[in-house]
Amino acid sequence: MTQTAAEADIPTAVIATGGTIAMLADPASGVRRPTLSGATLAAAIRGLEVPLAHFQPYAIGSEDATFAHWLQLAREIAAVADAHAGVVVMHGTDTMEEAAYFMAECLPDAPISFCGAMRPPGTLGYDGGRNLLDAITVARSPLAPRLGTVVVMNHEVLPAWDVIKSDSVALSSFSTRHGTRIATVHDRQLRPLSLPLRFNWLGELPAVLPRADAVAYVRLTGSPGPRRFADAIAGAEGVVVEALGAGSVPAAVRAQLLGAAAQVPVVLSGRALSGPLQDEESYPHAWDDLLGGGVILEKRLDGPRARIRLSLCLALGREYRPLEADLI
Ligand code: ASP
C-alpha cells in the first residue's frame, strides 16, 4: 500500500505572503503591517504536530498584489509542490479569490490551499490560527490532489473558480457564486460534500508577465455613458465586460462593444451574483449580433476572473476559450 503524506512525514509547504492573518501592530505607529511569519503563527497552534516547511516570497496587503506577485507565487509553488505534502498559501482576503484563481489556471495539478484571516492577530475572534490549521488539514489529505486550488476559510473548502469574499468583515465572509461547497473541515477532519470538477484550465505558466493594463474591465450599469464606455475600452488588447442579468448589453454601448470585438478579444461575463448567461429560451436571438461579431460569452466566471484568464491568454499568446467543466 502506498504511504500517505502524513504517514511518510513529508512536510507541507506553508507560503506566507502577508494579509490580515499576519498583521501585527507596529509598536511605534500602531499601524498594522504583515510581519507575523508563518512559522511563528504555526508554532502557536496547539496540537499542530505535522512537519512544515516555511517560505515567504513577499509580505504585503493583498490590495497591493499584482500579476508580478502572483506569477512569482506560482513559480514558487511550482518549485516546491512535488517535494511537499500539499501547499498552503497564507494570503490577504481582499484579493484571495483572484490569487487562488490565477494559481488554478496556471498550476491545475498542484494541491494548493489558500487561507487568511478576517480579524487580525491579537483581536477577539482572530481566525488566522484555525484557518491555517484547517488549510494544512486539507493540503495533507489524500483528497488534496483531486481538489486543485481551494480556499479554506471559516471551516469551509471552496473552489478557486467560484469562491468570493461576500462580506467585508464577517468571519463567514467567504462563500461561492454558485453554491459549490467542496467540503467542510473541523478538528482536523475533512468532510467531502460534492464531487470535484475537471476544467479546461490553461495549465501553463506564462514566460512573460501578463500586463495589468492589457485588458479593459467594465461593469455595466443602467444608463451607461457611451463616451465613457468607449474611453474605458479604447486601446485595450482585450476587453471584459460584466453584462446585466443573463447577459444583457444596453443599446447605448452595443455598437462600441462590437467595434472593439472586431479588433481584439471581447469577453462578456455576468454581473448577477449567480446564474448563467444567454437565456436563449426566454430571449431567442438576443445575442445573435454579439456572437456574430465575435463577442465571447463567459458563462461561468465573474468579471475579475475572466480578466485574469484573458490577461493570461494574451501573455501566453493563446485564444480565449470560456471555462468549461466535466465531472471527474
Ligand atoms: N487588506 C487585507 C488584505 O487583503 C485584508 C485581509 O487580509 O483580510 O491583505
Side-chain angles (χ1 to χ4, degrees):
M1 218 171 69
T2 48
Q3 275 190 318
T4 64
E7 287 159 357
D9 240 23
I10 301 171
T12 296
V14 175
I15 305 182
T17 67
T20 291
I21 190 168
M23 284 201 187
L24 298 173
D26 175 74
S29 66
V31 176
R32 287 193 179 272
R33 302 197 196 288
T35 47
L36 181 66
S37 73
T40 308
L41 177 53
I45 301 175
R46 215 162 1 107
L48 177 63
E49 277 153 10
V50 298
L52 303 174
H54 293 279
F55 303 87
Q56 176 112 46
Y58 47 85
I60 58 170
S62 78
E63 60 275 19
D64 292 323
T66 63
F67 286 154
H69 288 107
W70 295 336
L71 188 57
Q72 184 184 351
L73 179 60
R75 288 188 176 136
E76 180 121 18
I77 293 171
V80 303
D82 282 352
H84 292 86
V87 178
V88 169
V89 177
M90 290 164 49
H91 199 279
T93 62
D94 287 346
T95 61
M96 186 185 288
E97 65 218 54
E98 291 173 69
Y101 184 75
F102 191 105
M103 302 309 135
E105 278 285 19
C106 296
L107 304 168
D109 298 326
I112 308 168
S113 297
F114 273 73
C115 68
M118 293 299 297
R119 311 251 321 131
T123 61
L124 200 59
Y126 174 56
D127 50 334
R130 69 180 163 95
N131 287 338
L132 177 59
L133 174 63
D134 288 346
I136 292 169
T137 302
V138 175
R140 294 184 75 77
S141 102
L143 210 58
R146 296 183 64 199
L147 303 181
T149 303
V150 292
V151 163
V152 184
M153 290 289 287
N154 198 38
H155 303 301
E156 303 210 307
V157 184
L158 306 170
W161 70 270
D162 204 25
V163 61
I164 45 167
K165 182 175 183 176
S166 55
D167 188 287
S168 57
V169 292
L171 296 185
S172 58
S173 172
F174 280 81
S175 61
T176 60
R177 288 181 78 218
H178 299 90
T180 52
R181 200 154 61 134
I182 294 177
T184 58
V185 54
H186 280 272
D187 298 333
R188 275 163 263 193
Q189 293 286 322
L190 185 69
R191 295 178 185 81
L193 296 171
S194 60
L195 290 171
L197 297 170
R198 191 197 345 256
F199 292 93
N200 57 339
W201 299 116
L202 297 172
E204 237 186 294
L205 273 170
V208 294
L209 184 62
R211 288 199 319 107
D213 279 326
V215 174
Y217 165 47
V218 184
R219 187 168 213 236
L220 286 178
T221 59
S223 190
R227 198 160 57 80
R228 294 277 165 240
F229 183 81
D231 286 351
I233 64 176
E237 291 164 46
V239 175
V240 170
V241 170
E242 273 192 7
L244 305 166
S248 311
V249 176
V253 298
R254 218 156 169 114
Q256 289 88 328
L257 192 71
L258 282 165
Q263 312 284 329
V264 296
V266 172
V267 178
L268 203 62
S269 78
R271 195 186 91 163
L273 198 53
S274 71
L277 296 194
Q278 197 190 12
D279 183 358
E280 273 293 336
E281 183 84 9
S282 306
Y283 309 103
H285 305 297
W287 287 269
D288 284 1
D289 61 332
L290 298 175
L291 293 173
V295 173
I296 304 158
L297 291 192
E298 174 50 78
K299 300 184 184 183
R300 189 173 279 268
L301 299 176
D302 59 7
R305 269 171 266 239
R307 172 180 175 260
I308 289 173
R309 188 164 167 97
L310 182 53
S311 302
L312 284 167
C313 283
L314 292 171
L316 289 163
R318 283 170 60 170
E319 200 182 320
Y320 187 103
R321 290 180 45 240
L323 191 72
E324 282 160 14
D326 291 316
L327 287 180
I328 287 184

